[in-house]
Amino acid sequence: MKTETGAPPSRLAVTTAFAAVYIVWGATYLAIRMGVATLPPFLMAAARFLVAGALLLGWTWLRGATLPTARQWRNSAITGSLLLLGGNGLVCWAEQTVNSSLAALIIAASPMWFALFEWARPGGRRPTAITSLGLIVGFSGVGLLVLGTPHGSGSAASTSVAGVLALVVACAAWAGGSIFSKHSDNPESPWVSTAAQMLTGGASLLGVSLLTGEPGRFSFDQVSTRSFLAFLYLVVFGSWIGFGAYVWLLQNCAPTKVATYAYVNPVIATLLGWWVLDEPLTAGTGLAALVILGGVLIVQWPRAQTPRPAPAPVVEALSPTKSDGKA
């Protein structure tokens, strides 16, 4: 593929963009884990997306972009709530008690939820036999992770289980929001659409933060330097640089190559969690990871054989594997 000037992109540019998507998005799980150590999870996520969304929308408006209509704001609110509150918000909450590497591996199962919701929606496509096999394999891997998660005793154990289950729900919410976004009326500019989803999703996260009393228990004095730097990383790198690199790659590379981030992000997150936070790497986790990634590969394999339109950039850009969240 070629750039807007008609010249093919340089190998250095492509390599740099892929490195940004692979490493930046893979590191968001570590950044979230470090951030929620001293920052309330929903309040941190709300601040991240409200700041990123407001600055991004202001930048696009100054460049002459058309603002969303009332209908598009409504659709953005639905998508943003599912993606950022249900998806990223639950990841932030879960990572208070769940290792970043485990979180990334569970979220890696998102493509399987995509296949299920695509089938369930009106007019959706029934999974093929090979896709059904991939769903069985992938969800078996998730089951291995859930059942094999080490738990402590007393309340700590129940919290850990709740965190793992919250990640499974986050996966489903992310897929549901993505499918809705793909088939709803959104702004023509992906940047405006992303900003609108960040703002509305950030508002829903702030609402949950207020309802759970996070602001009343929060003090800036308690925030560590590491948590604050992790928050800045999520805003600048996770919400802007990673997304920009992804959009550029979609325009200049085959979508099937761009989609490889779904396999690399969990590996990056696992290695960073082990290296920076001394998170354990067990044989059971490794086996479950292979099963999950194998299931995802099987589910996506038919798509690689039949060319289809590239997925909406907004959907992919916010994944915790993104998500933030991707991501």
Side-chain angles (χ1 to χ4, degrees):
M1 301 183 69
K2 297 184 178 182
T3 61
E4 294 179 357
T5 61
S10 68
R11 178 173 297 183
L12 176 60
V14 172
T15 301
T16 302
F18 267 109
V21 172
Y22 286 170
I23 299 174
V24 167
W25 281 358
T28 55
Y29 293 94
L30 174 66
I32 289 174
R33 176 75 167 168
M34 294 166 63
V36 298
T38 59
L39 284 167
F42 293 112
L43 187 61
M44 181 189 74
R48 169 191 174 183
F49 291 113
L50 287 174
V51 170
L55 292 177
L56 182 58
L57 187 63
W59 177 76
T60 57
W61 179 74
L62 290 174
R63 292 177 60 88
T66 302
L67 296 179
T69 64
R71 177 184 177 87
Q72 290 169 344
W73 275 115
R74 184 204 66 182
N75 291 340
S76 295
I78 295 173
T79 303
S81 295
L82 287 170
L83 291 178
L84 304 185
L85 173 59
N88 187 273
L90 286 178
V91 170
C92 292
W93 181 83
E95 285 204 41
Q96 294 178 110
T97 56
V98 176
N99 288 341
S100 60
S101 54
L102 178 60
L105 290 173
I106 294 177
I107 298 300
S110 292
M112 297 182 293
W113 289 100
F114 272 77
L116 286 178
F117 285 130
E118 181 63 26
W119 177 27
R121 75 176 182 84
R125 296 186 300 273
R126 182 184 181 89
T128 63
I130 192 170
T131 298
S132 299
L133 173 62
L135 292 174
I136 294 173
V137 172
F139 282 120
S140 297
V142 174
L144 287 175
L145 273 181
V146 173
L147 295 176
T149 299
H151 307 305
S153 58
S155 59
S158 61
T159 301
S160 181
V161 172
V164 171
L165 294 179
L167 290 168
V168 176
V169 175
C171 247
W174 181 266
S178 300
I179 296 298
F180 177 83
S181 176
K182 182 179 179 180
H183 299 285
S184 61
D185 177 28
N186 295 301
E188 181 178 355
S189 167
W191 298 100
V192 174
S193 184
T194 299
Q197 291 182 16
M198 284 183 178
L199 287 172
T200 54
S204 65
L205 282 161
L206 181 60
V208 171
S209 177
L210 292 172
L211 288 175
T212 56
E214 285 185 345
R217 302 190 301 270
F218 172 70
S219 171
F220 283 104
D221 295 336
Q222 75 188 42
V223 181
S224 68
T225 301
R226 189 164 76 166
S227 290
F228 180 71
L229 292 176
F231 170 76
L232 292 181
Y233 177 91
L234 291 170
V235 173
V236 177
F237 291 89
S239 298
W240 291 336
I241 294 179
F243 174 69
Y246 176 80
V247 172
W248 185 87
L249 284 171
L250 279 180
Q251 295 171 346
N252 294 280
C253 299
T256 51
K257 291 184 179 180
V258 182
T260 56
Y261 81 89
Y263 308 101
V264 180
N265 283 173
V267 177
I268 297 294
T270 300
L271 292 176
L272 286 176
W274 166 74
W275 182 38
V276 178
L277 300 179
D278 293 324
E279 294 179 349
L281 289 177
T282 65
T285 300
L287 174 62
L290 291 176
V291 174
I292 291 175
L293 295 179
V296 171
L297 179 60
I298 294 173
V299 167
Q300 291 190 332
W301 183 257
R303 301 180 184 181
Q305 303 302 310
T306 304
R308 295 175 53 197
V314 172
V315 171
E316 299 290 348
L318 301 177
S319 173
T321 59
K322 130 195 214 313
S323 108
D324 302 330
K326 173 325 202 343

